[in-house]
Amino acid sequence: MNINWYPGHMKKTKESIKKNLTLVDIIYELLDGRIPLSSKNPDIDSIIGNKPKITIFNKSDLSSEEGNRKWKNYFKKSGFPIVFMDLMNNRGLNELIKLSYEITEEKRKNLQKKGIKNKPIRVMVLGIPNVGKSTLINTISGRKGTKTGNRPGVTKGNQWIKIKDNMELLDTPGILWPKFEDENTSLNLAFTGAIKDEVLDVQTLALKLIESLKRLYPQLLKERYEVDIENVSSIDILNSIAYKRGCILRGEEIDYEKVCNMVLDDFRKGRIGRVTLEMPEDLEG
């Protein structure tokens, strides 16, 4: 499956990020805990250079406990500042604020020596579409002023948001990169909704997702849909799910659009269970 999706506004977003870097003290880079490798834009590190950065491992309530534990150990050994967050339940927020002050402490002390006091910490929030940037800002600010949605491309322009603890956040639209190097990255981004469904073959995508779940989390797949997954193909599993869930048209034909969208929606909303599709050992590949 070849997916090339790089709208013109993403090129403008990249240019805007470079332009605004001098205005911020620290970067928040959000990753999707289910696909931490695929959801990391390889362009971001080269764009921000030596600017201090905190990696936010978001949607940790949807990723598996084993995956969270392995990634936490990996980042700890690597020495990269990271915070695991569950924005739906406000988990990890205090840790993020505390770490932000620790990282910027030296700069703030230098400013105080120059007579500049109480200058806000300015943060730029970066990440791919649909990774939770606007939700993070809404959670920190305690307001609903930033539009969010369970689809990519909702945030259209840069926004400064004043929040508590003398901080200001710069929200930016989600940014992908022009070319995905391998199919797994493309698929993982599509599974989680980082790429608009309108540009995809949804049936192929649902079958690929079933293949991944059958390989990595067979028990979750079996329990969610109450279907046999042993020694059967992905299309047979999809057909069984369709009959189980009543995704049938007149003449007993399967409504593939309905069943495929249902499976994708179940995965994205965590109904199938907590799933991590990429582990630190995958870095060896």
Side-chain angles (χ1 to χ4, degrees):
M1 175 182 287
N2 293 319
I3 302 174
N4 283 316
W5 188 62
Y6 194 66
H9 77 268
M10 291 196 178
K11 183 175 184 294
K12 293 179 180 178
T13 297
K14 188 174 179 181
E15 293 169 352
S16 178
I17 289 170
K18 293 178 180 178
K19 181 180 178 181
N20 288 302
L21 269 178
T22 57
L23 303 177
V24 300
D25 304 301
I26 191 170
I27 303 293
Y28 290 169
E29 181 186 13
L30 274 74
L31 304 181
D32 187 320
R34 298 165 295 180
I35 53 165
L37 298 178
S38 295
S39 61
K40 179 173 177 56
N41 186 330
D43 291 341
I44 286 180
D45 286 342
S46 61
I47 292 172
I48 67 174
N50 295 323
K51 186 72 67 174
K53 182 185 75 170
I54 297 175
T55 299
I56 297 175
F57 209 84
N58 195 27
K59 304 191 180 184
S60 62
D61 57 317
L62 297 178
S63 52
S64 68
E65 292 184 8
E66 179 189 16
N68 290 348
R69 176 178 53 79
K70 286 187 174 183
W71 281 109
K72 189 172 289 186
N73 290 336
Y74 168 79
F75 277 97
K76 186 177 180 180
K77 290 178 181 178
S78 302
F80 300 125
I82 186 169
V83 176
F84 281 70
M85 299 194 73
D86 168 8
L87 291 173
M88 294 297 101
N89 297 295
N90 283 352
R91 292 174 184 158
L93 184 57
N94 291 336
E95 183 182 354
L96 177 63
I97 299 297
K98 180 183 177 183
L99 186 56
S100 300
Y101 270 83
E102 289 176 357
I103 288 177
T104 59
E105 182 179 9
E106 184 177 351
K107 182 173 183 178
R108 287 183 290 108
K109 285 183 176 179
N110 290 334
L111 289 174
Q112 288 175 2
K113 290 178 182 178
K114 297 176 182 178
I116 304 173
K117 298 181 180 180
N118 298 320
K119 184 182 179 187
I121 297 175
R122 284 192 146 185
V123 181
M124 181 184 289
V125 184
L126 298 178
I128 66 170
N130 203 34
V131 78
K133 298 181 301 301
S134 295
T135 303
L136 170 66
I137 291 175
N138 288 345
T139 301
I140 295 178
S141 64
R143 69 179 195 177
K144 298 181 180 180
T146 305
K147 186 182 291 185
T148 65
N150 189 28
R151 64 188 189 279
V154 171
T155 304
K156 296 297 184 184
N158 295 339
Q159 304 177 65
W160 281 106
I161 297 99
K162 292 184 178 180
I163 62 172
K164 60 183 180 180
D165 297 306
N166 200 30
M167 294 179 67
E168 293 181 351
L169 301 185
L170 177 62
D171 188 20
T172 60
I175 177 173
L176 287 171
W177 52 107
K179 183 179 179 181
F180 305 132
E181 294 300 326
D182 66 320
E183 185 182 62
N184 284 336
T185 297
S186 303
L187 288 171
N188 287 336
L189 290 170
F191 292 157
T192 57
I195 301 172
K196 290 182 178 180
D197 289 343
E198 288 90 334
V199 302
L200 306 173
D201 176 353
V202 177
Q203 184 173 333
T204 301
L205 186 61
L207 287 171
K208 291 287 187 178
L209 176 59
I210 288 172
E211 284 180 15
S212 294
L213 294 175
K214 181 184 177 184
R215 175 170 51 87
L216 298 172
Y217 296 93
Q219 195 61 30
L220 291 181
L221 186 63
K222 185 176 181 180
E223 290 176 358
R224 172 63 185 173
Y225 297 110
E226 300 178 333
V227 295
D228 183 22
I229 64 171
E230 301 295 331
N231 301 316
V232 292
S233 66
S234 296
I235 187 64
D236 288 334
I237 294 173
L238 185 65
N239 291 342
S240 297
I241 293 172
Y243 283 112
K244 278 277 185 178
R245 296 302 176 90
C247 300
I248 306 297
L249 300 168
R250 288 183 179 180
E252 292 298 304
E253 290 186 11
I254 292 174
D255 188 342
Y256 281 108
E257 182 178 359
K258 183 176 180 180
V259 69
C260 290
N261 281 314
M262 182 192 70
V263 170
L264 290 170
D265 193 57
D266 282 349
F267 170 74
R268 291 167 183 171
K269 294 182 178 177
R271 298 190 191 108
I272 294 174
R274 298 179 64 175
V275 170
T276 301
L277 297 178
E278 297 173 324
M279 295 291 187
E281 48 264 37
D282 295 327
L283 286 166
E284 297 176 2

